[in-house]
Every structure is written in structure tokens, then in C-alpha cells.
Amino acid sequence: MGWGVMAALLANVAYSTGFVLEKRALSALPPLSTTRPARLLRLLLGSPLWLAGSAALAAGFAAQLVVYRTLPIAAAQGLFVSGLVLLLLLSSRVLGERTTGRERAGIGLILCALVMVVASLRGDGDVSRTAATGTLLALCVPSLVAGVWLYGAAEWRAHRPGRRPPTGVEYGVAVGLLYGVSSLAIKGVSGLLTTDGLGSLALTLLRGPYPYLLLFTGAAGLVLSQAALQRCRASLIVPVCTTVTCVFTVVCGTVAFGEPLPHEPWRLALRLGGTALAVCVLLTLPRHDAALELEGSER
């Protein structure tokens, strides 16, 4: 359990740093378009700062594998959501993004959620390794379709004449669904990692749905998230994406992997209450970007 908590905190630092570095790099690039993915990838790969951010995200991915091998899904997601605190602080200090009163209130809520989730953990908790393929696909495929559709609808609304500047909420929800599926796939891969030979491991992975889900969510998530992150504040879009990912992973992951909730009433209350409190962060975020509106009116 201790290693899992430490790995989760390390993943939070890596993910927050990676998002901020990527956002900094994206601000110096020409406008990106999801309809031209080859050009988008060429511009991203030509930016050393963006590559540094991607390396930080890769380190977070590696730490996430450790987390899912040692902690139940609900507990892991509760810890991952706590990374929003660092993300908001870095967005303010490094990117110069101002946080509103509701965003600062969200930081306090997340800190409380972190304490509650950590207090609900115990060293002998059950951690499931695999999920039934049929159940997993029944949850993931409709979610992927919904995520791509929501993103396309947000793009259409954003380009309508007279449309208010996008907040990132719509994009965050769409990308959050994709990353929620990716999180379940990471959980599945972590459960298959053994000390057996690489050939045996590769064959086992290729027989299941996990690498294919990771391939799709990785490619689609990269294109969609980078275009959205360039247009919107990281302090808005990342918390929304993280919260949706957390809710999806906890609800669908607990069903797919069959992990039990804590039996003790007080631990159960802390686990559910901490996760629910983290979700409330979404309700504290503004629905429109007043700064962009003011900038547009001055032009």
C-alpha cells in the first residue's frame, strides 16, 4: 500500500509537470487542427519543450502501472485527483493563469478528498488483476464513441459565429472519457505484468483488448487533447478531464474488475465520500472564460 501511495504521488507530479510543459510549448506553436493530424504531429515532434512534457507524462504512466498493481481502482483514482492541486499551482506560477475563488475552493476540497481516501486504505485490500473481455468492451466502446462525438459537437459549437470563448469544459469531458477507457486498459496491462519472458508477456497482451484500447485512446487522445489544451486554460480543461476520468474509472472499473469496496462502514464512508468530494471540483469551475471574452471585446 505504501509503495502504491508513493507511486500515485509521483505520477501526480509527473502528469502535472508534463501538462504544464506541453501547454507552454503549445502557446508558441501555430494553431493546431484535429482535421490535420499529420501536421499536428509534425509540429509537436518539432518542439523540444513539448517532447520534455511528453517524457514527464511517460514517467507518470510508468508510475501509474505500479499504482494499479498495489491499490484498488477507487483508491488509486482518489489519489490521482489530488494532483489537481499541483496542476493549479503550476498553472498559476509557470503559465500565469489566474485562479478564481471557485478554483481556489476546489483546491481545498481536493485536499480534503486526499486525506479521506488515504485514510480509507488498508494494507490487505483486494486488488483485482483482470476483467472479463465482454464486460470491459461493453463499457468502453460506447464511451469511446460518446467521447469522439462530444468533441466533434464541441468543435462545431466553438466555430459558430458569435459563440462565446470555449471554457474547456466540453473538451475536458470528451477527452476525459477517452482517458477513462485508457485508465482501465492500463489497469488491465498492470495486472498481466509478470516475471515471465517478454515473448510470453507480449503474446498474452496481444490476445486481450488492452493494447488495442491503449493504441486508440493514445492516438485519439493525443490529437484531441493537444488541440484543446492549446485553446483553453490548463487550469480549466485538465481538472475537468481528470474528474471525468476519475468518475468513469471508479464506476466502470469497479464493475469490470469486480473489486470490492471496504467492508468497514467508516472506511467505506471515507472512500465514497472522498471520491464524491473530488468530483465536486467540477461544480466549482467557471463555465466561460471571462478573460478571453474581454480580450475579444477589446479587439
Side-chain angles (χ1 to χ4, degrees):
M1 182 186 68
W3 285 108
V5 174
M6 292 177 59
L9 297 179
L10 177 61
N12 286 343
V13 173
Y15 280 133
S16 298
T17 303
F19 278 124
V20 170
L21 289 177
E22 287 187 347
K23 174 63 176 179
R24 190 75 175 265
L26 290 169
S27 63
L29 295 179
L32 303 178
S33 173
T34 56
T35 60
R36 302 177 64 185
R39 173 180 176 273
L40 184 149
L41 290 176
R42 177 174 57 81
L43 291 173
L44 294 180
L45 295 177
S47 171
L49 187 58
W50 186 87
L51 292 175
S54 297
L57 294 181
F61 173 83
Q64 195 173 356
L65 289 175
V66 177
V67 175
Y68 281 138
R69 284 190 65 86
T70 55
L71 294 178
I73 289 178
Q77 287 303 309
L79 291 172
F80 289 146
V81 169
S82 69
L84 292 178
V85 177
L86 179 60
L87 185 279
L88 291 175
L89 292 176
L90 289 177
S91 296
S92 175
R93 297 292 184 180
V94 179
L95 301 177
E97 297 181 352
R98 298 180 180 179
T99 56
T100 65
R102 283 185 291 175
E103 290 168 344
R104 289 190 292 272
I107 294 177
L109 289 173
I110 295 170
L111 286 174
C112 293
L114 172 61
V115 173
M116 294 170 67
V117 171
V118 171
S120 75
L121 302 179
R122 55 182 302 171
D124 57 349
D126 295 328
V127 180
S128 298
R129 301 300 184 192
T130 59
T133 300
T135 302
L136 184 70
L137 294 179
L139 294 170
C140 291
V141 173
S143 302
L144 293 176
V145 174
V148 174
W149 180 84
L150 284 173
Y151 194 99
E155 284 279 83
W156 179 76
R157 287 192 296 268
H159 290 88
R160 292 176 60 188
R163 174 68 177 175
R164 302 173 76 182
T167 63
V169 172
E170 298 92 342
Y171 295 126
V173 172
V175 177
L177 288 174
L178 268 65
Y179 284 165
V181 173
S182 178
S183 189
L184 294 185
I186 294 172
K187 165 69 176 176
V189 170
S190 70
L192 295 176
L193 295 179
T194 64
T195 57
D196 297 338
L198 291 178
S200 176
L201 174 61
L203 184 60
T204 301
L205 289 174
L206 291 175
R207 287 175 177 173
Y210 304 124
Y212 310 105
L213 291 175
L214 281 175
L215 181 62
F216 178 83
T217 56
L222 173 65
V223 173
L224 301 184
S225 66
Q226 296 307 301
L229 188 60
Q230 186 184 52
R231 303 169 193 169
C232 309
R233 287 194 294 140
S235 55
L236 281 176
I237 190 171
V238 176
V240 173
C241 178
T242 303
T243 303
V244 173
T245 300
C246 171
V247 174
F248 178 89
T249 306
V250 169
V251 175
C252 296
T254 300
V255 174
F257 288 88
E259 292 188 349
L261 293 172
H263 298 294
E264 299 93 333
W266 68 274
R267 289 187 186 274
L268 178 60
L270 287 174
R271 175 76 59 81
L272 298 179
T275 303
L277 187 57
V279 174
C280 289
V281 173
L282 182 60
L283 302 178
T284 71
L285 298 177
R287 292 296 183 265
H288 64 278
D289 200 323
L292 288 180
E293 287 185 343
L294 179 60
E295 180 181 346
S297 62
E298 290 176 350
R299 291 179 183 176

